[in-house]
């Protein structure tokens, strides 16, 4: 079959479009539909964004953020949200708790005394995770946060300051992972 220049250009453009969306499709393959906790709790929830955290090039986890806010106006302290992390490696729960507290300190959340209390609480909550497991947080502004493992409830924490500090690990402008923050909020695609 002989292609005319216009047909050749059209097919070439189609191939480029399909190749350009392949990484998007692959990156999105680890994401789930909104969990029932999201649809039952956050009215008009939509996927804001998703991203991957890497440490020295190694994939740590994929994250996705659901909320009913617009990316440009999103305020993690004001807007309800569901943050889900799908782990690419095995981690001990105590390591997750300690790293969370370190990140909270980096963004300036809480006092030293509060963070020590939060560490005790998070150590009680976070289980060990295996590759493929998810840990999720359902944030309700002014109220607190509910934690889930693989979609099943772990704990409900009625401490608005801890809830904001925890969500701030990924969503505060001072996060140690600003690229992932932009991806989660949907400011970068």
């Amino acid at each position: 079959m002989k292609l005319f220049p216009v047909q050749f250009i059209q097919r070439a453009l189609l191939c480029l479009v399909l190749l350009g969306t392949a990484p998007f499709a692959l990156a999105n393959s680890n994401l789930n539909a909104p969990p029932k906790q999201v649809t039952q709790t956050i009215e008009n929830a939509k996927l804001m964004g998703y991203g991957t955290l890497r440490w020295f090039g190694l994939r740590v986890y994929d994250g996705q953020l659901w909320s009913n806010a617009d990316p440009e106006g999103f305020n993690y302290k004001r807007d309800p949200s569901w943050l889900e992390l799908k782990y690419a490696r095995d981690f001990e729960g105590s390591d997750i708790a300690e790293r969370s507290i370190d990140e909270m300190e980096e963004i300036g959340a809480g006092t030293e005394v509060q963070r020590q209390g939060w560490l005790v609480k998070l150590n009680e909550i976070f289980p060990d995770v295996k590759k493929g497991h998810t840990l999720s947080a359902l944030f309700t502004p002014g109220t607190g946060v509910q934690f889930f493992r693989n979609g099943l409830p772990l704990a409900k924490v009625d401490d608005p300051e801890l809830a904001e500090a925890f969500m701030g690990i990924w969503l505060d402008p001072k996060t140690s992972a600003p690229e992932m923050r932009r991806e989660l909020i949907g400011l970068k695609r």
Side-chain angles (χ1 to χ4, degrees), residues 18-36:
L18 291 175
L19 287 174
T21 60
F24 174 78
L26 290 174
N28 199 20
S29 66
N30 286 329
L31 303 177
N32 303 319
K36 67 179 180 181

Side-chain angles (χ1 to χ4, degrees), residues 22-136:
F24 174 78
L26 290 174
N28 199 20
S29 66
N30 286 329
L31 303 177
N32 303 319
K36 67 179 180 181
Q37 296 91 339
V38 173
T39 56
Q40 292 173 348
T41 309
I42 304 173
E43 189 175 331
N44 300 318
K46 61 186 178 287
L47 178 65
M48 292 191 63
Y50 51 89
T52 299
L53 181 72
R54 294 184 183 277
W55 187 71
F56 289 107
L58 299 174
R59 177 184 240 145
V60 178
Y61 50 71
D62 297 317
Q64 59 181 343
L65 181 69
W66 295 82
S67 185
N68 56 9
D70 292 320
E72 294 79 23
F74 179 74
N75 180 329
Y76 80 93
K77 293 181 180 183
R78 178 197 64 217
D79 297 319
S81 57
W82 169 275
L83 175 67
E84 183 171 281
L85 304 176
K86 184 175 184 179
Y87 285 82
R89 314 194 150 321
D90 297 355
F91 287 97
E92 292 183 15
S94 60
D95 291 337
I96 296 170
E98 288 176 25
R99 184 69 190 158
S100 296
I101 295 302
D102 291 345
E103 292 292 330
M104 290 177 196
E105 183 176 8
E106 287 296 314
I107 63 170
T111 66
E112 181 63 32
V113 171
Q114 281 179 305
R115 288 190 300 272
Q116 288 307 311
W118 295 345
L119 178 59
V120 170
K121 177 58 87 178
L122 295 180
N123 269 316
E124 293 170 0
I125 294 171
F126 291 145
D128 297 345
V129 295
K130 301 281 185 199
K131 180 180 179 180
H133 285 184
T134 62
L135 287 180
S136 308

